[in-house]
Amino acid sequence: MFEINRYYTELPKSYLFSRIAKTVADFKSKHPDARIISMGIGDVTRPIAPAAIAGMTEAVKAMASADSFVGYGPEQGHAFLRSAIAETDFSSRGIDIADDEIFISDGAKSDIGNFTDILDSRIKVAVTDPVYPVYVDSNVMAGRGGHLLPDGRWSGISYMPCTESNGFVPELPRTAPDVIYLCYPNNPTGTALTRHQLGMFVDYARRHGALILFDAAYEAYIESADVPHSIYEIEGAKECAVEFRSFSKTAGFTGLRLGYTVVPKELYGLGADGSRVPLRQLWLRRQTTKFNGASYVIQCGAASLYTPEGREQIQQTIQYYKTNASVLREALQQAGLTVYGGVDSPYIWAKSPAGYGSEQFFNLLLERCHLVTTPGNGFGPSGEGFVRLTAFSSHQATREAVSRLSNLL
Ligand code: PLP
């Protein structure tokens, strides 16, 4: 028999959200009348902006006629979308990103999971704790995890704790990692890094020759003036950082699927012979070999979001979720809980009441409020003592959740 990639079998059996889904399904089967409100998995609920629907409708119609049919597109994404992104997401903020440094994909998760394909299998990675599980699991699959420790961490990965005591701002790594994953605004804590705080990481990466993989999936939720929207707002970041963006939480494309990755031309890695190799070339090579481009129809939908009406429409949706976030924050605070996040982010990181761990608080909220959250310890040991709530429900469901919570707490 052939051998499999043994690292896959070393991963813990169930992905966090599958485990929660099972707990909730069991609860539902025992309480079929319970009106469950889900603030657990980070999926959106508002419909797609009319501008994007119009863009996609046109694209679908084009497919119906031989004159306008579009087949395989460029693996890197259609030029019309890449130039809209370069102009609106970067140039308008004073950041110089060229169209050919942008790679359109079917979502940030794939790019984040795939990016280390182009790095040596022995590189050392550092992640924050708590962390979006994809950064860890994808490295474990590639054999970089070492072995699983009793507390759920991996011996081969460095963890940068983000706790109440450091204000959820990770300390600079002490282990000299080659790659540092940062996600800001952060999933799960909902906190953000200021320009100065992110600048410390850029400075570190440049001094140590490290690469920052910067996940900006929640950029659209930033409202604080001193929180950068892109890592490239920091001087020198183009020499040390790749940035991942997603249309999922910005424009509700969780089901449509679209994202992009910026790989600047200034970014180099070390070849086997000691030469400097441009990462952009390697990523292009990887994508042209293993990816055939994102859907034309969806790219047309995304391009329509860069029109004035498209931008206005997605702002309205983001404001809708942000209103939920502030309603939730205030209600939890009034009920006497300590909460973080929810300002530059759709996530609220609520501290469990005294005497409750993450799982106990999760169970309490499920059993007594019929409210699904995510236990913080599922994102790493430093998440113990917290649960994550999302602001992606409807206003009505959020108000209902708030009223159930105030009765309970
Ligand atoms: N990065 C973070 C931090 C996320 O929370 C998510 C989705 O929940 C993603 C990336 C995935 O984004 P996409 O839907 O574009 O794959």
Side-chain angles (χ1 to χ4, degrees):
M1 274 253 259
F2 53 87
E3 281 185 42
I4 51 135
N5 177 343
R6 67 190 164 91
Y7 300 117
Y8 277 58
T9 59
E10 288 172 12
L11 282 163
K13 286 285 167 287
S14 71
Y15 184 60
L16 169 63
F17 291 105
S18 325
R19 193 161 52 83
I20 294 171
K22 183 170 180 323
T23 309
V24 175
D26 290 348
F27 181 82
K28 271 188 190 158
S29 71
K30 284 189 203 131
H31 306 89
D33 297 332
R35 284 183 302 116
I36 306 257
I37 298 177
S38 179
M39 293 186 167
I41 190 162
D43 200 358
V44 292
T45 53
R46 304 299 298 157
I48 301 296
I53 297 289
M56 289 188 286
T57 307
E58 280 309 304
V60 169
K61 282 187 194 150
M63 293 295 194
S65 151
D67 300 340
S68 47
F69 167 81
V70 179
Y72 285 129
E75 291 91 344
Q76 214 183 324
H78 283 280
F80 60 81
L81 179 57
R82 287 188 285 121
S83 68
I85 290 171
E87 172 54 36
T88 314
D89 292 350
F90 297 102
S91 189
S92 70
R93 292 191 183 278
I95 305 163
D96 182 23
I97 294 291
D99 303 9
D100 61 357
E101 293 172 309
I102 295 167
F103 294 76
I104 312 290
S105 71
D106 62 352
K109 192 182 194 175
S110 331
D111 282 0
I112 293 165
N114 291 330
F115 201 82
T116 57
D117 273 16
I118 63 168
L119 305 177
D120 191 274
S121 61
R122 292 158 304 177
I123 54 154
K124 296 283 170 227
V125 309
V127 298
T128 58
D129 167 26
V131 64
Y132 176 55
V134 175
Y135 313 151
V136 173
D137 290 4
S138 57
N139 277 289
V140 172
M141 289 170 171
R144 300 189 187 104
H147 59 271
L148 191 57
L149 301 168
D151 67 1
R153 292 191 281 188
W154 290 88
S155 65
I157 293 179
S158 305
Y159 292 82
M160 302 175 288
C162 295
T163 59
E164 260 186 313
S165 58
N166 62 18
F168 302 98
V169 178
E171 275 183 28
L172 293 174
R174 295 190 190 144
T175 50
D178 302 295
V179 172
I180 303 167
Y181 286 85
L182 293 177
C183 170
Y184 287 97
N186 186 253
N187 177 12
T189 66
T191 55
L193 288 189
T194 62
R195 201 163 271 108
H196 173 72
Q197 290 161 342
L198 185 57
M200 303 277 286
F201 276 89
V202 170
D203 184 49
Y204 173 93
R206 291 178 74 196
R207 278 189 288 114
H208 291 81
L211 170 68
I212 297 176
L213 295 181
F214 189 71
D215 184 348
Y218 298 96
E219 171 277 332
Y221 292 80
I222 295 172
E223 63 181 48
S224 303
D226 60 348
V227 172
H229 286 251
S230 163
I231 195 164
Y232 305 118
E233 286 182 37
I234 314 287
E235 207 188 317
K238 284 167 89 178
E239 291 156 31
C240 65
V242 166
E243 182 165 305
F244 303 96
R245 295 271 189 113
S246 168
F247 288 88
S248 287
K249 312 301 160 69
T250 308
F253 277 34
T254 51
L256 293 174
R257 312 299 308 137
L258 206 72
Y260 67 86
T261 294
V262 181
V263 190
K265 288 180 191 131
E266 289 89 333
L267 201 50
Y268 290 87
L270 207 56
D273 59 358
S275 60
R276 279 159 49 88
V277 181
L279 276 200
R280 189 194 154 276
Q281 296 294 355
L282 286 189
W283 185 240
L284 182 65
R285 186 73 175 88
R286 192 262 172 217
Q287 290 299 80
T288 49
T289 303
K290 294 196 182 182
F291 182 61
N292 244 345
S295 153
Y296 171 71
V297 172
I298 312 296
Q299 291 189 61
C300 289
S304 306
L305 295 170
Y306 287 94
T307 59
E309 58 279 19
R311 284 166 65 75
E312 168 61 30
Q313 289 162 5
I314 56 175
Q315 271 316 312
Q316 280 171 12
T317 306
I318 287 162
Q319 281 314 317
Y320 183 99
Y321 296 135
K322 285 181 72 90
T323 303
N324 287 345
S326 66
V327 167
L328 267 175
R329 254 180 81 91
E330 267 170 44
L332 291 165
Q333 277 168 339
Q334 270 171 17
L337 290 184
T338 305
V339 297
Y340 298 94
V343 176
D344 295 301
S345 153
Y347 293 123
I348 292 181
W349 194 235
K351 191 170 175 181
S352 310
Y356 283 83
S358 292
E359 301 273 347
Q360 290 155 316
F361 192 33
F362 166 85
N363 285 326
L364 179 79
L365 294 173
L366 178 61
E367 281 158 23
R368 302 273 296 279
C369 300
H370 302 167
L371 182 61
V372 181
T373 57
T374 309
N377 61 343
F379 296 100
S382 297
E384 179 51 68
F386 288 85
V387 297
R388 189 194 72 174
L389 293 98
T390 80
F392 292 127
S393 304
S394 65
H395 284 336
Q396 196 194 358
T398 304
R399 276 195 302 270
E400 174 65 27
V402 159
S403 118
R404 293 182 196 174
L405 280 165
S406 14
N407 291 337
L408 173 78
L409 300 165

